[in-house]
């Protein structure tokens, strides 16, 4: 388990830290537990799949989060994007990313024009 410190009332421990590589990554996904999942360059599919996750897209046209009906992550998981998640698609390119926080209260950091669902903060 990695300790990344405490942030704003959220948990202080995370279960997995997953980072994509060069090129387009599909299936970057945590599973049970609170995970940190990071896309890098190019077009990535980034999913947490359970608990309260931190999901980052990086450069490129990314698909971040999602629930079973929203389907950014539906092919990768049998659970929705539950938990109070942080989803970040901000890459200074307008309208190239898709972000879906799924259930609960989610914080999204996006560029103008990005497609956004289920982001409450």
């Amino acid at each position: 388990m990695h300790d990344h410190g405490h942030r704003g009332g959220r948990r202080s421990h995370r279960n997995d830290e997953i980072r994509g590589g060069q090129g387009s990554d599909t299936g970057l996904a945590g599973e049970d537990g609170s995970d940190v999942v990071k896309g890098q360059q190019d077009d990535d599919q980034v999913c947490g799949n359970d608990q309260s996750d931190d999901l980052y897209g990086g450069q490129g046209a990314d698909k971040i989060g999602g629930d079973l009906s929203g389907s950014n992550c539906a092919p990768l998981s049998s659970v929705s994007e539950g938990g109070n998640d942080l989803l970040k698609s901000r890459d200074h390119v307008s309208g190239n990313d898709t972000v879906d926080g799924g259930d609960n209260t989610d914080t999204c950091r996006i560029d103008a024009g990005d497609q956004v669902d289920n982001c409450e903060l």
Side-chain angles (χ1 to χ4, degrees):
M1 186 179 300
H2 303 286
D3 183 358
H4 294 272
H6 185 71
R7 185 182 71 215
R10 292 180 58 169
R11 72 247 174 236
S12 61
H13 295 281
R14 295 184 172 81
N15 291 348
D16 298 312
E17 185 164 338
I18 300 164
R19 184 182 305 260
Q22 298 290 332
S24 297
D25 296 304
T26 58
L28 290 175
E31 285 299 329
D32 293 337
S34 298
D35 305 309
V36 176
V37 185
K38 297 181 178 182
Q40 298 291 320
Q41 298 173 350
D42 298 309
D43 305 340
D44 300 311
Q45 182 182 28
V46 180
C47 309
N49 293 337
D50 196 20
Q51 305 273 332
S52 296
D53 303 304
D54 291 351
L55 309 177
Y56 301 87
Q59 299 296 312
D62 301 310
K63 295 177 189 273
I64 304 170
D67 58 22
L68 293 177
S69 62
S71 83
N72 283 345
C73 299
L76 302 176
S77 176
S78 61
V79 298
S80 73
E81 190 65 67
N84 299 324
D85 303 312
L86 169 69
L87 298 91
K88 184 177 178 196
S89 67
R90 190 174 293 154
D91 59 3
H92 306 290
V93 178
S94 178
N96 67 325
D97 299 307
T98 302
V99 177
D100 187 343
D103 297 332
N104 295 330
T105 303
D106 305 297
T107 302
C108 298
R109 302 289 180 247
I110 62 169
D111 295 304
D114 286 350
Q115 180 180 330
V116 179
D117 291 308
N118 300 310
C119 290
E120 292 75 27
L121 304 173

PDB file of all heavy atoms in Angstrom, residues 61-76:
ATOM      1  N   ALA A  61      -6.781  12.372 -26.362  1.00  0.00           N
ATOM      2  CA  ALA A  61      -8.239  12.267 -26.218  1.00  0.00           C
ATOM      3  C   ALA A  61      -8.534  11.082 -25.313  1.00  0.00           C
ATOM      4  O   ALA A  61      -8.523   9.938 -25.747  1.00  0.00           O
ATOM      5  CB  ALA A  61      -8.892  12.088 -27.579  1.00  0.00           C
ATOM      6  N   ASP A  62      -8.785  11.364 -24.036  1.00  0.00           N
ATOM      7  CA  ASP A  62      -8.913  10.314 -23.029  1.00  0.00           C
ATOM      8  C   ASP A  62     -10.362  10.053 -22.654  1.00  0.00           C
ATOM      9  O   ASP A  62     -11.212  10.938 -22.724  1.00  0.00           O
ATOM     10  CB  ASP A  62      -8.137  10.718 -21.767  1.00  0.00           C
ATOM     11  CG  ASP A  62      -6.671  10.954 -22.057  1.00  0.00           C
ATOM     12  OD1 ASP A  62      -6.047  10.080 -22.684  1.00  0.00           O
ATOM     13  OD2 ASP A  62      -6.148  12.011 -21.661  1.00  0.00           O
ATOM     14  N   LYS A  63     -10.627   8.836 -22.212  1.00  0.00           N
ATOM     15  CA  LYS A  63     -11.922   8.433 -21.649  1.00  0.00           C
ATOM     16  C   LYS A  63     -11.639   8.062 -20.204  1.00  0.00           C
ATOM     17  O   LYS A  63     -10.901   7.115 -19.935  1.00  0.00           O
ATOM     18  CB  LYS A  63     -12.509   7.255 -22.405  1.00  0.00           C
ATOM     19  CG  LYS A  63     -12.852   7.598 -23.841  1.00  0.00           C
ATOM     20  CD  LYS A  63     -13.368   6.365 -24.569  1.00  0.00           C
ATOM     21  CE  LYS A  63     -13.514   6.634 -26.041  1.00  0.00           C
ATOM     22  NZ  LYS A  63     -14.735   7.187 -26.446  1.00  0.00           N
ATOM     23  N   ILE A  64     -12.228   8.838 -19.280  1.00  0.00           N
ATOM     24  CA  ILE A  64     -11.897   8.693 -17.869  1.00  0.00           C
ATOM     25  C   ILE A  64     -13.159   8.387 -17.067  1.00  0.00           C
ATOM     26  O   ILE A  64     -14.148   9.103 -17.156  1.00  0.00           O
ATOM     27  CB  ILE A  64     -11.253   9.988 -17.332  1.00  0.00           C
ATOM     28  CG1 ILE A  64     -10.030  10.358 -18.179  1.00  0.00           C
ATOM     29  CG2 ILE A  64     -10.881   9.832 -15.866  1.00  0.00           C
ATOM     30  CD1 ILE A  64      -9.486  11.727 -17.889  1.00  0.00           C
ATOM     31  N   GLY A  65     -13.106   7.310 -16.275  1.00  0.00           N
ATOM     32  CA  GLY A  65     -14.220   6.946 -15.410  1.00  0.00           C
ATOM     33  C   GLY A  65     -15.380   6.378 -16.184  1.00  0.00           C
ATOM     34  O   GLY A  65     -15.256   5.938 -17.320  1.00  0.00           O
ATOM     35  N   GLY A  66     -16.536   6.374 -15.533  1.00  0.00           N
ATOM     36  CA  GLY A  66     -17.746   5.878 -16.182  1.00  0.00           C
ATOM     37  C   GLY A  66     -18.454   4.851 -15.337  1.00  0.00           C
ATOM     38  O   GLY A  66     -17.864   4.234 -14.470  1.00  0.00           O
ATOM     39  N   ASP A  67     -19.740   4.703 -15.596  1.00  0.00           N
ATOM     40  CA  ASP A  67     -20.490   3.672 -14.895  1.00  0.00           C
ATOM     41  C   ASP A  67     -20.951   2.651 -15.925  1.00  0.00           C
ATOM     42  O   ASP A  67     -20.615   2.736 -17.095  1.00  0.00           O
ATOM     43  CB  ASP A  67     -21.656   4.260 -14.101  1.00  0.00           C
ATOM     44  CG  ASP A  67     -22.623   5.043 -14.959  1.00  0.00           C
ATOM     45  OD1 ASP A  67     -22.662   4.819 -16.191  1.00  0.00           O
ATOM     46  OD2 ASP A  67     -23.347   5.867 -14.410  1.00  0.00           O
ATOM     47  N   LEU A  68     -21.700   1.685 -15.487  1.00  0.00           N
ATOM     48  CA  LEU A  68     -22.094   0.607 -16.393  1.00  0.00           C
ATOM     49  C   LEU A  68     -22.912   1.109 -17.578  1.00  0.00           C
ATOM     50  O   LEU A  68     -22.801   0.584 -18.671  1.00  0.00           O
ATOM     51  CB  LEU A  68     -22.872  -0.458 -15.623  1.00  0.00           C
ATOM     52  CG  LEU A  68     -22.043  -1.210 -14.598  1.00  0.00           C
ATOM     53  CD1 LEU A  68     -22.915  -2.195 -13.843  1.00  0.00           C
ATOM     54  CD2 LEU A  68     -20.889  -1.931 -15.257  1.00  0.00           C
ATOM     55  N   SER A  69     -23.711   2.158 -17.370  1.00  0.00           N
ATOM     56  CA  SER A  69     -24.489   2.677 -18.500  1.00  0.00           C
ATOM     57  C   SER A  69     -23.716   3.721 -19.286  1.00  0.00           C
ATOM     58  O   SER A  69     -23.951   3.916 -20.460  1.00  0.00           O
ATOM     59  CB  SER A  69     -25.809   3.271 -18.004  1.00  0.00           C
ATOM     60  OG  SER A  69     -25.552   4.354 -17.127  1.00  0.00           O
ATOM     61  N   GLY A  70     -22.756   4.427 -18.646  1.00  0.00           N
ATOM     62  CA  GLY A  70     -21.981   5.468 -19.301  1.00  0.00           C
ATOM     63  C   GLY A  70     -20.883   4.917 -20.184  1.00  0.00           C
ATOM     64  O   GLY A  70     -20.451   5.540 -21.128  1.00  0.00           O
ATOM     65  N   SER A  71     -20.359   3.791 -19.863  1.00  0.00           N
ATOM     66  CA  SER A  71     -19.524   2.920 -20.666  1.00  0.00           C
ATOM     67  C   SER A  71     -18.137   3.378 -21.057  1.00  0.00           C
ATOM     68  O   SER A  71     -17.550   2.782 -21.927  1.00  0.00           O
ATOM     69  CB  SER A  71     -20.272   2.447 -21.895  1.00  0.00           C
ATOM     70  OG  SER A  71     -20.241   3.372 -22.931  1.00  0.00           O
ATOM     71  N   ASN A  72     -17.543   4.396 -20.440  1.00  0.00           N
ATOM     72  CA  ASN A  72     -16.105   4.583 -20.658  1.00  0.00           C
ATOM     73  C   ASN A  72     -15.367   3.344 -20.177  1.00  0.00           C
ATOM     74  O   ASN A  72     -14.385   2.926 -20.760  1.00  0.00           O
ATOM     75  CB  ASN A  72     -15.564   5.789 -19.879  1.00  0.00           C
ATOM     76  CG  ASN A  72     -15.897   7.104 -20.519  1.00  0.00           C
ATOM     77  OD1 ASN A  72     -16.295   7.165 -21.672  1.00  0.00           O
ATOM     78  ND2 ASN A  72     -15.750   8.166 -19.770  1.00  0.00           N
ATOM     79  N   CYS A  73     -15.851   2.750 -19.081  1.00  0.00           N
ATOM     80  CA  CYS A  73     -15.183   1.613 -18.456  1.00  0.00           C
ATOM     81  C   CYS A  73     -16.003   0.334 -18.475  1.00  0.00           C
ATOM     82  O   CYS A  73     -15.527  -0.694 -18.011  1.00  0.00           O
ATOM     83  CB  CYS A  73     -14.841   1.959 -17.010  1.00  0.00           C
ATOM     84  SG  CYS A  73     -13.730   3.358 -16.871  1.00  0.00           S
ATOM     85  N   ALA A  74     -17.214   0.376 -18.961  1.00  0.00           N
ATOM     86  CA  ALA A  74     -18.109  -0.779 -18.873  1.00  0.00           C
ATOM     87  C   ALA A  74     -17.495  -2.076 -19.392  1.00  0.00           C
ATOM     88  O   ALA A  74     -17.671  -3.107 -18.762  1.00  0.00           O
ATOM     89  CB  ALA A  74     -19.428  -0.494 -19.590  1.00  0.00           C
ATOM     90  N   PRO A  75     -16.746  -2.090 -20.483  1.00  0.00           N
ATOM     91  CA  PRO A  75     -16.178  -3.372 -20.925  1.00  0.00           C
ATOM     92  C   PRO A  75     -15.130  -3.923 -19.971  1.00  0.00           C
ATOM     93  O   PRO A  75     -14.796  -5.085 -20.022  1.00  0.00           O
ATOM     94  CB  PRO A  75     -15.525  -3.033 -22.256  1.00  0.00           C
ATOM     95  CG  PRO A  75     -16.113  -1.749 -22.686  1.00  0.00           C
ATOM     96  CD  PRO A  75     -16.511  -1.029 -21.433  1.00  0.00           C
ATOM     97  N   LEU A  76     -14.604  -3.071 -19.059  1.00  0.00           N
ATOM     98  CA  LEU A  76     -13.512  -3.498 -18.192  1.00  0.00           C
ATOM     99  C   LEU A  76     -13.959  -3.966 -16.824  1.00  0.00           C
ATOM    100  O   LEU A  76     -13.170  -4.518 -16.080  1.00  0.00           O
ATOM    101  CB  LEU A  76     -12.543  -2.321 -17.976  1.00  0.00           C
ATOM    102  CG  LEU A  76     -11.944  -1.736 -19.230  1.00  0.00           C
ATOM    103  CD1 LEU A  76     -11.099  -0.530 -18.884  1.00  0.00           C
ATOM    104  CD2 LEU A  76     -11.123  -2.778 -19.943  1.00  0.00           C
TER     105      LEU A  76
END
